[in-house]
Amino acid sequence: VRRSASYVPQVVDGAASRPGARVICVLVGDGPELPDIEARVAESRSGVRYVFLGSVPNRRIQDLYLAADILIH
């Protein structure tokens, strides 16, 4: 099964379309799909604030999980 992360901006933008929603999407990783995700984010007009952290040390992953309201893996 091939997983793809390129759908993430579409899902996040959909959540942001709810009235009163303020969304910050933190993306972790630097895999081969990153350019496609960055392109989709650049095309987005949703008002979502996207933060790209790139590769992070494993010791920081748990803190990022704990800070998240929603996690897409």
Side-chain angles (χ1 to χ4, degrees), residues 15-44:
S17 68
R18 300 180 67 90
R22 293 184 308 165
V23 178
I24 299 171
C25 179
V26 178
L27 295 150
V28 178
D30 59 359
E33 294 183 74
L34 184 59
D36 184 45
I37 295 169
E38 289 173 326
R40 290 173 186 254
V41 166
E43 295 169 357
S44 172

Side-chain angles (χ1 to χ4, degrees), residues 35-59:
D36 184 45
I37 295 169
E38 289 173 326
R40 290 173 186 254
V41 166
E43 295 169 357
S44 172
R45 303 284 183 253
S46 67
V48 172
R49 179 176 168 220
Y50 285 90
V51 178
F52 291 88
L53 295 182
S55 181
V56 299
N58 285 338
R59 66 182 182 278

